[in-house]
Amino acid sequence: MSLLIYDVIQLPNQDAMSRSKSIMLVLALVVTLCACSPRKLAVREITAIAANGMTALEQDDDLDMLAQALPANIKLLEMVLASNPDDGELLTLLARSYGSYNFMILEPKFEKARFDLLALDANDDIETEVLHLKQTVSRYYQKGAAYALKALEVDHPDTLAQLKNVSTIDAFMRDLGPRQVAAVFWYGFNLAAWVNLNLDSVQALSQGHIAEKCMRRVIELQPAYFNGGAHLVLIAYYASRSPMLGGNLDAARRHYDALKQISGDAFLMADLFYARYYLQRTQDRPACESLLDEIARAAGQKSAYPLFNKVAGHKAHIYLTALNELFE
């Protein structure tokens, strides 16, 4: 099967989108034709190939291609999951896929629509679009979190009960080791993003501390995982809420500094989160505007983080046009 997929990858005159579709067709055919016993082996191989594919996508800055490819990849992975529903790596990959698609494609659309609504007089069409986008983004983050939770439950069947119990959550987190880093990160990432999207919800706010503890555990185990993404999440977490709700500007700044140490100045997403959350919370509009403008101008340059920087530049443009709403 690997040779067949390799042959597809090497087909001449195929753009990235066509090649992605060809690979998905081959994988779907393999899943359909495999007998029961070799099917798990096929699922494992498909998962490894798909994980490598996600890494490859993150080296491409074509957001339009990503917007088309990721939904199809997600549906394929969900079809494969039906053949082996307890595959922790596949569950984690689905959590990563939903989180990435939401963060890079759908959430920027929602943010732009929401800021447009705030800047304009009430408009039923815009209000409907904003509500629909928020519901979709919220649902996808919840799905991503649910898949990561199932991945954790492969090794720890009582994960949900342990996470919901304030007297057991810390001990449970300490029991998680390097094997669980990816699942813990993507559970915390999706959960934190869902909470941040629904700060007007008591239910969401009550789960924020779980996401915080997930990211703190990732930092203890593997601080550089996913470009130091746990620090990125905690910048937003600590800077987006009041001290009464767990906010801590000093902690947000420490995580920003730690992230810069891990990923360097070329990782524009760190500066984006610092501007959007820290500088907005401190109401330093001149510094925020200057940094966002710098990100927008630097995003098109080649770097070690092509996709992440492209998304950072895209979001920077959205925030630059919404400064009056961010600093009202």
Side-chain angles (χ1 to χ4, degrees), residues 17 20 24 54 57 65-76 96-98 100-102 104-105:
M17 190 62 199
S20 175
M24 285 189 290
M54 279 294 295
L57 282 174
M65 184 274 289
L66 187 70
Q68 297 178 60
L70 267 178
N73 287 350
I74 288 170
K75 288 306 172 186
L76 171 65
R96 175 180 177 178
S97 298
Y98 269 107
S100 297
Y101 178 59
N102 242 1
M104 296 179 184
I105 304 299

PDB file of all heavy atoms in Angstrom, residues 17 20 24 54 57 65-76 96-98 100-102 104-105:
ATOM      1  N   MET A  17      -3.813  20.116  -4.531  1.00  0.00           N
ATOM      2  CA  MET A  17      -5.200  19.725  -4.264  1.00  0.00           C
ATOM      3  C   MET A  17      -5.536  18.416  -4.967  1.00  0.00           C
ATOM      4  O   MET A  17      -6.141  17.510  -4.387  1.00  0.00           O
ATOM      5  CB  MET A  17      -6.151  20.836  -4.728  1.00  0.00           C
ATOM      6  CG  MET A  17      -7.584  20.618  -4.278  1.00  0.00           C
ATOM      7  SD  MET A  17      -7.696  20.616  -2.482  1.00  0.00           S
ATOM      8  CE  MET A  17      -9.268  19.797  -2.271  1.00  0.00           C
ATOM      9  N   SER A  20      -3.829  15.530  -3.246  1.00  0.00           N
ATOM     10  CA  SER A  20      -4.506  15.199  -1.991  1.00  0.00           C
ATOM     11  C   SER A  20      -5.747  14.355  -2.252  1.00  0.00           C
ATOM     12  O   SER A  20      -6.006  13.362  -1.565  1.00  0.00           O
ATOM     13  CB  SER A  20      -4.888  16.482  -1.247  1.00  0.00           C
ATOM     14  OG  SER A  20      -5.629  16.196  -0.092  1.00  0.00           O
ATOM     15  N   MET A  24      -6.504  10.440  -1.083  1.00  0.00           N
ATOM     16  CA  MET A  24      -7.693  10.102  -0.301  1.00  0.00           C
ATOM     17  C   MET A  24      -8.481   8.981  -0.959  1.00  0.00           C
ATOM     18  O   MET A  24      -9.004   8.087  -0.282  1.00  0.00           O
ATOM     19  CB  MET A  24      -8.572  11.342  -0.121  1.00  0.00           C
ATOM     20  CG  MET A  24      -8.012  12.334   0.893  1.00  0.00           C
ATOM     21  SD  MET A  24      -9.156  13.652   1.282  1.00  0.00           S
ATOM     22  CE  MET A  24      -9.160  14.575  -0.228  1.00  0.00           C
ATOM     23  N   MET A  54      -0.414  16.160   7.391  1.00  0.00           N
ATOM     24  CA  MET A  54      -0.706  17.373   8.158  1.00  0.00           C
ATOM     25  C   MET A  54       0.555  18.213   8.322  1.00  0.00           C
ATOM     26  O   MET A  54       0.526  19.446   8.192  1.00  0.00           O
ATOM     27  CB  MET A  54      -1.272  16.999   9.524  1.00  0.00           C
ATOM     28  CG  MET A  54      -2.748  16.667   9.523  1.00  0.00           C
ATOM     29  SD  MET A  54      -3.800  18.104   9.117  1.00  0.00           S
ATOM     30  CE  MET A  54      -3.459  19.171  10.519  1.00  0.00           C
ATOM     31  N   LEU A  57       1.206  19.957   5.109  1.00  0.00           N
ATOM     32  CA  LEU A  57       0.300  21.087   4.907  1.00  0.00           C
ATOM     33  C   LEU A  57       0.773  22.317   5.669  1.00  0.00           C
ATOM     34  O   LEU A  57       0.624  23.449   5.218  1.00  0.00           O
ATOM     35  CB  LEU A  57      -1.113  20.715   5.354  1.00  0.00           C
ATOM     36  CG  LEU A  57      -1.942  19.845   4.412  1.00  0.00           C
ATOM     37  CD1 LEU A  57      -3.256  19.457   5.071  1.00  0.00           C
ATOM     38  CD2 LEU A  57      -2.206  20.552   3.091  1.00  0.00           C
ATOM     39  N   MET A  65      -6.064  26.409  -0.575  1.00  0.00           N
ATOM     40  CA  MET A  65      -5.912  24.967  -0.738  1.00  0.00           C
ATOM     41  C   MET A  65      -6.221  24.249   0.570  1.00  0.00           C
ATOM     42  O   MET A  65      -6.899  23.222   0.594  1.00  0.00           O
ATOM     43  CB  MET A  65      -4.496  24.634  -1.211  1.00  0.00           C
ATOM     44  CG  MET A  65      -4.248  23.155  -1.512  1.00  0.00           C
ATOM     45  SD  MET A  65      -3.785  22.186  -0.064  1.00  0.00           S
ATOM     46  CE  MET A  65      -2.131  22.821   0.238  1.00  0.00           C
ATOM     47  N   LEU A  66      -5.735  24.799   1.670  1.00  0.00           N
ATOM     48  CA  LEU A  66      -5.981  24.194   2.975  1.00  0.00           C
ATOM     49  C   LEU A  66      -7.465  24.174   3.294  1.00  0.00           C
ATOM     50  O   LEU A  66      -7.985  23.184   3.828  1.00  0.00           O
ATOM     51  CB  LEU A  66      -5.230  24.975   4.056  1.00  0.00           C
ATOM     52  CG  LEU A  66      -5.239  24.370   5.458  1.00  0.00           C
ATOM     53  CD1 LEU A  66      -4.395  23.106   5.498  1.00  0.00           C
ATOM     54  CD2 LEU A  66      -4.735  25.376   6.483  1.00  0.00           C
ATOM     55  N   ALA A  67      -8.155  25.256   2.964  1.00  0.00           N
ATOM     56  CA  ALA A  67      -9.591  25.330   3.226  1.00  0.00           C
ATOM     57  C   ALA A  67     -10.360  24.251   2.479  1.00  0.00           C
ATOM     58  O   ALA A  67     -11.397  23.771   2.941  1.00  0.00           O
ATOM     59  CB  ALA A  67     -10.114  26.716   2.848  1.00  0.00           C
ATOM     60  N   GLN A  68      -9.873  23.859   1.308  1.00  0.00           N
ATOM     61  CA  GLN A  68     -10.520  22.806   0.529  1.00  0.00           C
ATOM     62  C   GLN A  68     -10.088  21.414   0.979  1.00  0.00           C
ATOM     63  O   GLN A  68     -10.891  20.480   1.015  1.00  0.00           O
ATOM     64  CB  GLN A  68     -10.188  22.973  -0.957  1.00  0.00           C
ATOM     65  CG  GLN A  68     -10.708  24.258  -1.576  1.00  0.00           C
ATOM     66  CD  GLN A  68     -10.304  24.368  -3.029  1.00  0.00           C
ATOM     67  OE1 GLN A  68     -10.643  23.535  -3.860  1.00  0.00           O
ATOM     68  NE2 GLN A  68      -9.551  25.405  -3.356  1.00  0.00           N
ATOM     69  N   ALA A  69      -8.807  21.266   1.336  1.00  0.00           N
ATOM     70  CA  ALA A  69      -8.264  19.938   1.617  1.00  0.00           C
ATOM     71  C   ALA A  69      -8.653  19.416   2.991  1.00  0.00           C
ATOM     72  O   ALA A  69      -8.954  18.224   3.146  1.00  0.00           O
ATOM     73  CB  ALA A  69      -6.747  19.964   1.477  1.00  0.00           C
ATOM     74  N   LEU A  70      -8.628  20.268   4.008  1.00  0.00           N
ATOM     75  CA  LEU A  70      -8.823  19.778   5.367  1.00  0.00           C
ATOM     76  C   LEU A  70     -10.195  19.147   5.616  1.00  0.00           C
ATOM     77  O   LEU A  70     -10.270  18.082   6.244  1.00  0.00           O
ATOM     78  CB  LEU A  70      -8.564  20.904   6.377  1.00  0.00           C
ATOM     79  CG  LEU A  70      -7.132  20.976   6.914  1.00  0.00           C
ATOM     80  CD1 LEU A  70      -6.981  22.159   7.870  1.00  0.00           C
ATOM     81  CD2 LEU A  70      -6.727  19.690   7.611  1.00  0.00           C
ATOM     82  N   PRO A  71     -11.310  19.747   5.168  1.00  0.00           N
ATOM     83  CA  PRO A  71     -12.602  19.084   5.417  1.00  0.00           C
ATOM     84  C   PRO A  71     -12.678  17.686   4.820  1.00  0.00           C
ATOM     85  O   PRO A  71     -13.199  16.756   5.450  1.00  0.00           O
ATOM     86  CB  PRO A  71     -13.612  20.030   4.757  1.00  0.00           C
ATOM     87  CG  PRO A  71     -12.945  21.360   4.766  1.00  0.00           C
ATOM     88  CD  PRO A  71     -11.496  21.067   4.541  1.00  0.00           C
ATOM     89  N   ALA A  72     -12.147  17.517   3.607  1.00  0.00           N
ATOM     90  CA  ALA A  72     -12.158  16.195   2.986  1.00  0.00           C
ATOM     91  C   ALA A  72     -11.274  15.226   3.757  1.00  0.00           C
ATOM     92  O   ALA A  72     -11.629  14.048   3.960  1.00  0.00           O
ATOM     93  CB  ALA A  72     -11.683  16.297   1.538  1.00  0.00           C
ATOM     94  N   ASN A  73     -10.117  15.699   4.210  1.00  0.00           N
ATOM     95  CA  ASN A  73      -9.236  14.844   5.005  1.00  0.00           C
ATOM     96  C   ASN A  73      -9.912  14.423   6.308  1.00  0.00           C
ATOM     97  O   ASN A  73      -9.792  13.272   6.745  1.00  0.00           O
ATOM     98  CB  ASN A  73      -7.938  15.582   5.321  1.00  0.00           C
ATOM     99  CG  ASN A  73      -7.032  15.718   4.118  1.00  0.00           C
ATOM    100  OD1 ASN A  73      -7.279  15.117   3.077  1.00  0.00           O
ATOM    101  ND2 ASN A  73      -5.990  16.506   4.248  1.00  0.00           N
ATOM    102  N   ILE A  74     -10.610  15.367   6.938  1.00  0.00           N
ATOM    103  CA  ILE A  74     -11.287  15.062   8.193  1.00  0.00           C
ATOM    104  C   ILE A  74     -12.339  13.981   7.988  1.00  0.00           C
ATOM    105  O   ILE A  74     -12.436  13.025   8.773  1.00  0.00           O
ATOM    106  CB  ILE A  74     -11.916  16.341   8.784  1.00  0.00           C
ATOM    107  CG1 ILE A  74     -10.820  17.272   9.324  1.00  0.00           C
ATOM    108  CG2 ILE A  74     -12.914  15.992   9.893  1.00  0.00           C
ATOM    109  CD1 ILE A  74     -11.317  18.647   9.712  1.00  0.00           C
ATOM    110  N   LYS A  75     -13.133  14.109   6.929  1.00  0.00           N
ATOM    111  CA  LYS A  75     -14.183  13.116   6.674  1.00  0.00           C
ATOM    112  C   LYS A  75     -13.584  11.745   6.360  1.00  0.00           C
ATOM    113  O   LYS A  75     -14.119  10.713   6.764  1.00  0.00           O
ATOM    114  CB  LYS A  75     -15.094  13.585   5.543  1.00  0.00           C
ATOM    115  CG  LYS A  75     -16.008  14.733   5.943  1.00  0.00           C
ATOM    116  CD  LYS A  75     -16.796  14.368   7.200  1.00  0.00           C
ATOM    117  CE  LYS A  75     -17.564  15.538   7.757  1.00  0.00           C
ATOM    118  NZ  LYS A  75     -18.209  15.180   9.048  1.00  0.00           N
ATOM    119  N   LEU A  76     -12.462  11.743   5.632  1.00  0.00           N
ATOM    120  CA  LEU A  76     -11.786  10.480   5.366  1.00  0.00           C
ATOM    121  C   LEU A  76     -11.320   9.838   6.670  1.00  0.00           C
ATOM    122  O   LEU A  76     -11.520   8.647   6.906  1.00  0.00           O
ATOM    123  CB  LEU A  76     -10.595  10.695   4.443  1.00  0.00           C
ATOM    124  CG  LEU A  76      -9.673   9.479   4.269  1.00  0.00           C
ATOM    125  CD1 LEU A  76     -10.419   8.340   3.576  1.00  0.00           C
ATOM    126  CD2 LEU A  76      -8.416   9.846   3.506  1.00  0.00           C
ATOM    127  N   ARG A  96      -6.491  17.194  16.216  1.00  0.00           N
ATOM    128  CA  ARG A  96      -5.580  18.180  15.620  1.00  0.00           C
ATOM    129  C   ARG A  96      -6.184  18.776  14.356  1.00  0.00           C
ATOM    130  O   ARG A  96      -6.074  19.987  14.108  1.00  0.00           O
ATOM    131  CB  ARG A  96      -4.250  17.508  15.310  1.00  0.00           C
ATOM    132  CG  ARG A  96      -3.247  18.368  14.574  1.00  0.00           C
ATOM    133  CD  ARG A  96      -1.976  17.577  14.341  1.00  0.00           C
ATOM    134  NE  ARG A  96      -0.991  18.336  13.566  1.00  0.00           N
ATOM    135  CZ  ARG A  96       0.216  17.883  13.255  1.00  0.00           C
ATOM    136  NH1 ARG A  96       0.601  16.687  13.664  1.00  0.00           N
ATOM    137  NH2 ARG A  96       1.057  18.624  12.550  1.00  0.00           N
ATOM    138  N   SER A  97      -6.812  17.945  13.546  1.00  0.00           N
ATOM    139  CA  SER A  97      -7.378  18.410  12.278  1.00  0.00           C
ATOM    140  C   SER A  97      -8.524  19.384  12.507  1.00  0.00           C
ATOM    141  O   SER A  97      -8.612  20.427  11.844  1.00  0.00           O
ATOM    142  CB  SER A  97      -7.851  17.209  11.456  1.00  0.00           C
ATOM    143  OG  SER A  97      -6.771  16.350  11.136  1.00  0.00           O
ATOM    144  N   TYR A  98      -9.431  19.048  13.415  1.00  0.00           N
ATOM    145  CA  TYR A  98     -10.529  19.967  13.719  1.00  0.00           C
ATOM    146  C   TYR A  98     -10.005  21.270  14.317  1.00  0.00           C
ATOM    147  O   TYR A  98     -10.458  22.364  13.944  1.00  0.00           O
ATOM    148  CB  TYR A  98     -11.523  19.309  14.680  1.00  0.00           C
ATOM    149  CG  TYR A  98     -12.643  18.575  13.988  1.00  0.00           C
ATOM    150  CD1 TYR A  98     -12.691  17.180  13.968  1.00  0.00           C
ATOM    151  CD2 TYR A  98     -13.667  19.262  13.346  1.00  0.00           C
ATOM    152  CE1 TYR A  98     -13.719  16.495  13.326  1.00  0.00           C
ATOM    153  CE2 TYR A  98     -14.694  18.593  12.699  1.00  0.00           C
ATOM    154  CZ  TYR A  98     -14.720  17.212  12.695  1.00  0.00           C
ATOM    155  OH  TYR A  98     -15.743  16.549  12.056  1.00  0.00           O
ATOM    156  N   SER A 100      -7.026  22.634  13.943  1.00  0.00           N
ATOM    157  CA  SER A 100      -6.286  23.404  12.943  1.00  0.00           C
ATOM    158  C   SER A 100      -7.221  24.056  11.932  1.00  0.00           C
ATOM    159  O   SER A 100      -7.048  25.231  11.576  1.00  0.00           O
ATOM    160  CB  SER A 100      -5.292  22.485  12.222  1.00  0.00           C
ATOM    161  OG  SER A 100      -4.341  21.970  13.115  1.00  0.00           O
ATOM    162  N   TYR A 101      -8.190  23.297  11.449  1.00  0.00           N
ATOM    163  CA  TYR A 101      -9.134  23.840  10.470  1.00  0.00           C
ATOM    164  C   TYR A 101      -9.908  25.016  11.063  1.00  0.00           C
ATOM    165  O   TYR A 101     -10.073  26.061  10.419  1.00  0.00           O
ATOM    166  CB  TYR A 101     -10.102  22.745  10.025  1.00  0.00           C
ATOM    167  CG  TYR A 101     -11.151  23.210   9.037  1.00  0.00           C
ATOM    168  CD1 TYR A 101     -10.795  23.749   7.816  1.00  0.00           C
ATOM    169  CD2 TYR A 101     -12.506  23.102   9.343  1.00  0.00           C
ATOM    170  CE1 TYR A 101     -11.752  24.184   6.908  1.00  0.00           C
ATOM    171  CE2 TYR A 101     -13.470  23.535   8.436  1.00  0.00           C
ATOM    172  CZ  TYR A 101     -13.092  24.070   7.227  1.00  0.00           C
ATOM    173  OH  TYR A 101     -14.041  24.505   6.334  1.00  0.00           O
ATOM    174  N   ASN A 102     -10.343  24.857  12.283  1.00  0.00           N
ATOM    175  CA  ASN A 102     -11.078  25.927  12.951  1.00  0.00           C
ATOM    176  C   ASN A 102     -10.215  27.173  13.120  1.00  0.00           C
ATOM    177  O   ASN A 102     -10.609  28.289  12.781  1.00  0.00           O
ATOM    178  CB  ASN A 102     -11.539  25.439  14.329  1.00  0.00           C
ATOM    179  CG  ASN A 102     -13.043  25.431  14.473  1.00  0.00           C
ATOM    180  OD1 ASN A 102     -13.785  25.769  13.564  1.00  0.00           O
ATOM    181  ND2 ASN A 102     -13.509  25.033  15.627  1.00  0.00           N
ATOM    182  N   MET A 104      -7.324  28.087  11.736  1.00  0.00           N
ATOM    183  CA  MET A 104      -6.708  28.714  10.571  1.00  0.00           C
ATOM    184  C   MET A 104      -7.707  29.202   9.525  1.00  0.00           C
ATOM    185  O   MET A 104      -7.419  30.157   8.798  1.00  0.00           O
ATOM    186  CB  MET A 104      -5.732  27.728   9.911  1.00  0.00           C
ATOM    187  CG  MET A 104      -4.566  27.345  10.794  1.00  0.00           C
ATOM    188  SD  MET A 104      -3.479  26.160   9.968  1.00  0.00           S
ATOM    189  CE  MET A 104      -2.283  25.812  11.267  1.00  0.00           C
ATOM    190  N   ILE A 105      -8.875  28.565   9.452  1.00  0.00           N
ATOM    191  CA  ILE A 105      -9.811  28.879   8.379  1.00  0.00           C
ATOM    192  C   ILE A 105     -11.109  29.498   8.892  1.00  0.00           C
ATOM    193  O   ILE A 105     -11.494  30.603   8.476  1.00  0.00           O
ATOM    194  CB  ILE A 105     -10.142  27.605   7.562  1.00  0.00           C
ATOM    195  CG1 ILE A 105      -8.859  26.961   7.028  1.00  0.00           C
ATOM    196  CG2 ILE A 105     -11.106  27.940   6.439  1.00  0.00           C
ATOM    197  CD1 ILE A 105      -8.044  27.820   6.098  1.00  0.00           C
TER     198      ILE A 105
END
